[in-house]
Amino acid sequence: MEGLLFYWISWSIWIYLTFILRKNHPLRWRMSAMMLMLIILTSVHFSIGHFELFGSGLFILFIVYMSVSNEKKGLTFYFLVSSLIISIAYSTFHLFEIFDPVWLFFDRGWMLGLIMGGLTLSLQKSFKWRFLTLLAGGMQGEILTAFLLERYSIIDPIGALDFLDVSAIASVFIILWSAFEHVSAIY
């Protein structure tokens, strides 16, 4: 069922941010409001031309671009290159999935999530930039895939629940890997 992993993971993150994270954390309310808004916007979708867009995907792209717009030019340039690499990998995976599905040996969402998470971990070092690169690259890859498939009269929704599932899997992978890095640095 599409969206099940996304809803489970995002509600878990929202509960952690709202009820478990310490009360005076500077990002607590902003992050929990963004998670709640993301969950709400999953049901909003509209069409522009031949493309079907979901509100959650556009919200993700807006938040990421707003976060990056205040940074230094060097960091922004590296972010753009990293997110371009992620988006090309995302789009390439989808095209291989459509034109040569034989090489998918287990669930595509898990494969794509682990590939995107691993690629993001190898491109970025900080926790914040890993998430921003993952989300921007994934959404840009969705847009690129939709534009490429539109040439073949295939309508692929942009930012749908299957994209959110893949992003949730990759996010959990990044969280677990970053926690492992943190614990290994302590010991």
Side-chain angles (χ1 to χ4, degrees), residues 5 10-11 14 16 19 30 35 38 49 64-65 74 80 85 116 119-120 129 135 141 144 149 159 182 186-187:
L5 282 172
S10 60
W11 276 116
W14 182 80
Y16 172 77
F19 300 112
R30 188 175 355 163
M35 283 303 297
L38 182 65
V64 168
Y65 286 160
L80 290 174
I85 291 169
M116 286 179 57
L119 197 54
T120 304
W129 287 102
L135 295 175
L144 179 62
L149 292 178
H182 183 71
I186 291 173
Y187 290 111

Side-chain angles (χ1 to χ4, degrees), residues 33-49:
M34 282 192 283
M35 283 303 297
L36 197 56
M37 195 67 183
L38 182 65
I39 293 168
I40 291 169
L41 288 175
T42 55
S43 61
V44 175
H45 60 93
F46 52 91
S47 296
I48 297 177

Side-chain angles (χ1 to χ4, degrees), residues 4-179:
L4 184 65
L5 282 172
F6 165 72
Y7 284 125
W8 183 68
I9 291 169
S10 60
W11 276 116
S12 300
I13 291 171
W14 182 80
I15 289 169
Y16 172 77
L17 290 170
T18 305
F19 300 112
I20 299 172
L21 191 65
R22 66 180 199 275
K23 304 283 187 218
N24 58 356
H25 194 278
L27 298 176
R28 179 176 178 238
W29 289 108
R30 188 175 355 163
M31 292 299 291
S32 71
M34 282 192 283
M35 283 303 297
L36 197 56
M37 195 67 183
L38 182 65
I39 293 168
I40 291 169
L41 288 175
T42 55
S43 61
V44 175
H45 60 93
F46 52 91
S47 296
I48 297 177
H50 296 288
F51 302 105
E52 182 181 2
L53 291 102
F54 280 78
S56 55
L58 293 178
F59 180 71
I60 287 172
L61 209 54
F62 175 75
I63 292 298
V64 168
Y65 286 160
M66 290 302 293
S67 298
V68 172
S69 68
N70 299 329
E71 299 295 333
K72 298 177 190 171
K73 289 183 182 178
L75 288 174
T76 305
F77 179 72
Y78 186 70
F79 164 77
L80 290 174
V81 170
S82 299
S83 65
L84 179 66
I85 291 169
I86 299 289
S87 64
I88 290 171
Y90 186 89
S91 184
T92 303
F93 185 92
H94 275 288
L95 294 177
F96 270 120
E97 177 188 14
I98 292 170
F99 294 116
D100 191 19
V102 174
W103 68 279
L104 294 175
F105 47 90
F106 62 94
D107 183 49
R108 66 165 289 283
W110 285 94
M111 280 182 70
L112 185 55
L114 293 177
I115 289 169
M116 286 179 57
L119 197 54
T120 304
L121 287 171
S122 66
L123 290 170
Q124 295 288 347
K125 293 198 185 289
S126 76
F127 189 70
K128 171 188 170 184
W129 287 102
R130 285 175 177 169
F131 268 105
L132 293 176
T133 303
L134 171 73
L135 295 175
M139 265 311 292
Q140 291 168 0
E142 278 275 300
I143 294 168
L144 179 62
T145 304
F147 273 106
L148 291 173
L149 292 178
E150 195 265 334
R151 302 181 95 195
Y152 298 106
S153 299
I154 299 172
I155 297 173
D156 189 34
I158 299 172
L161 287 174
D162 59 343
F163 162 73
L164 295 174
D165 277 343
V166 169
S167 296
I169 291 168
S171 297
V172 167
F173 181 62
I174 288 174
I175 289 170
L176 292 175
W177 188 267
S178 297

